[in-house]
């Protein structure tokens, strides 16, 4: 075990108010592509750029095209939690981890057993009628043809944060509170380039800021410990 891994293991053992903040890299080991990786959505060819299709204005203007892309490229109903998800759930069960803050929309943290999960960008598992507010689950969306419709006739929209939409302020306030009070902040699988979520790091006041990522991030110079690698493999080695 490397010196960095030993340090991470020791800090986890000594901490009892850990917060984890994760991005797409947490789910890639479950077979869900990273938007910005070489094989991710941003490097594939479509009639429109992905960031255009998954924007609020495009959804309103062309919901059929939005859903064709969304169901083909953003829904992975058969994905299973990986070692990272399971390790975080284990730390929460031990009373060490207080919350998972995630930019992912796949719900895999909950599948692994995590209870306190703040989904900064929403979830594909929550869908609602834009007319009456009725709730619909993921299987309903997967099985629907074209634009999913509510029993009232209204269009059903995923409860995910599209481009041009703001993040839920209550969720953000809760995330800020968790980070402010944390004695250890572990950030994994995120490039820390998507704001406002990436700005949450500014609220951490401790001296155990850990970055686990396969590539460098703009925040590396602020970290107290940097580990380069896949987050699932890192957790599997120390827990």
């Amino acid at each position: 075990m490397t010196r960095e891994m030993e340090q991470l293991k020791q800090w986890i053992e000594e901490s009892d108010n850990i917060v984890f903040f994760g991005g797409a890299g947490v789910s890639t080991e479950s077979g869900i592509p990273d938007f910005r990786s070489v094989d991710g959505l941003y490097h594939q060819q479509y009639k429109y750029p992905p960031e255009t299709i998954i924007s609020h204005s495009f959804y309103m203007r062309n919901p059929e095209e939005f859903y064709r892309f969304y169901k083909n490229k953003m829904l992975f109903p058969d994905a299973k939690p990986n070692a990272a998800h399971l390790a975080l759930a284990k730390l929460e069960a031990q009373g060490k981890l207080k919350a998972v803050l995630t930019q992912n929309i796949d719900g895999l943290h909950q599948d692994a057993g995590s209870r306190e999960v703040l989904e900064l960008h929403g979830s594909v598992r929550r869908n609602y009628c834009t007319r009456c507010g009725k709730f619909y689950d993921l299987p309903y969306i997967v099985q629907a043809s074209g634009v999913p419709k509510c029993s009232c006739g209204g269009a059903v929209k995923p409860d995910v944060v599209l481009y041009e939409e703001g993040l839920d302020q209550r969720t953000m306030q809760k995330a800020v509170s968790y980070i402010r009070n944390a004695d250890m902040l572990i950030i994994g699988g995120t490039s820390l380039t998507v704001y406002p979520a990436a700005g949450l790091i500014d609220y951490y006041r401790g001296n155990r800021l850990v970055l686990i990522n396969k590539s460098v991030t703009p925040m590396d110079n602020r970290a107290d410990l940097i580990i380069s690698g896949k987050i699932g493999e890192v957790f599997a080695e120390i827990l």
Side-chain angles (χ1 to χ4, degrees):
M1 189 178 291
T2 65
R3 183 184 62 81
E4 289 80 12
M5 296 288 276
E6 289 281 5
Q7 183 70 82
L8 176 60
K9 184 178 178 67
Q10 179 184 337
W11 281 357
I12 289 176
E13 290 173 352
E14 295 173 350
S15 302
D16 61 5
N17 193 342
I18 303 170
V19 171
F20 178 80
F21 174 43
V26 178
S27 292
T28 53
E29 292 172 67
S30 293
I32 297 177
D34 177 355
F35 270 42
R36 291 165 182 80
S37 69
V38 173
D39 297 317
L41 296 179
Y42 276 71
H43 292 266
Q44 298 177 19
Q45 299 299 315
Y46 300 98
K47 188 175 180 181
Y48 302 91
E51 63 267 34
T52 297
I53 299 176
I54 53 178
S55 67
H56 177 80
S57 56
F58 189 92
Y59 169 80
M60 297 299 292
R61 185 172 66 250
N62 195 341
E64 294 85 2
E65 186 70 12
F66 168 86
Y67 262 113
R68 184 155 46 247
F69 176 90
Y70 178 76
K71 289 197 279 189
N72 285 340
K73 299 299 179 183
M74 297 186 69
L75 299 183
F76 298 87
D78 297 325
K80 303 297 181 187
N82 60 56
H85 299 106
L86 296 172
L88 292 165
K90 178 181 177 180
L91 287 173
E92 183 184 36
Q94 293 173 348
K96 289 184 168 294
L97 182 76
K98 301 308 179 186
V100 169
L101 283 47
T102 180
Q103 295 172 292
N104 298 331
I105 58 177
D106 49 53
L108 293 182
H109 284 293
Q110 291 91 330
D111 286 351
S114 290
R115 296 184 177 182
E116 186 63 1
V117 181
L118 304 187
E119 296 171 307
L120 303 176
H121 294 160
S123 173
V124 299
R125 301 187 182 188
R126 297 189 301 270
N127 307 274
Y128 62 92
C129 174
T130 54
R131 180 185 296 175
C132 74
K134 184 177 178 180
F135 172 85
Y136 288 90
D137 60 13
L138 179 58
Y140 183 83
I141 302 300
V142 172
Q143 295 162 14
S145 58
V147 179
K149 295 291 186 180
C150 175
S151 55
C152 78
V156 177
K157 182 180 183 294
D159 186 18
V160 299
V161 179
L162 304 178
Y163 284 99
E164 305 166 352
E165 294 181 342
L167 274 59
D168 180 78
Q169 287 307 299
R170 286 176 297 179
T171 302
M172 287 294 285
Q173 288 167 7
K174 201 171 181 181
V176 167
S177 178
Y178 273 121
I179 289 178
R180 272 186 175 146
N181 293 309
D183 62 6
M184 181 176 184
L185 176 60
I186 304 175
I187 300 175
T190 173
S191 60
L192 289 173
T193 56
V194 178
Y195 285 81
L200 288 170
I201 190 176
D202 295 335
Y203 294 97
Y204 181 60
R205 296 291 181 261
N207 58 2
R208 291 180 174 178
L209 173 56
V210 182
L211 290 184
I212 305 171
N213 204 42
K214 291 194 297 182
S215 57
V216 298
T217 79
M219 305 295 185
D220 281 9
N221 63 327
R222 296 171 57 178
D224 300 298
L225 179 63
I226 297 175
I227 297 177
S228 179
K230 294 181 178 180
I231 188 162
E233 294 178 358
V234 170
F235 277 133
E237 184 174 343
I238 64 170
L239 295 177

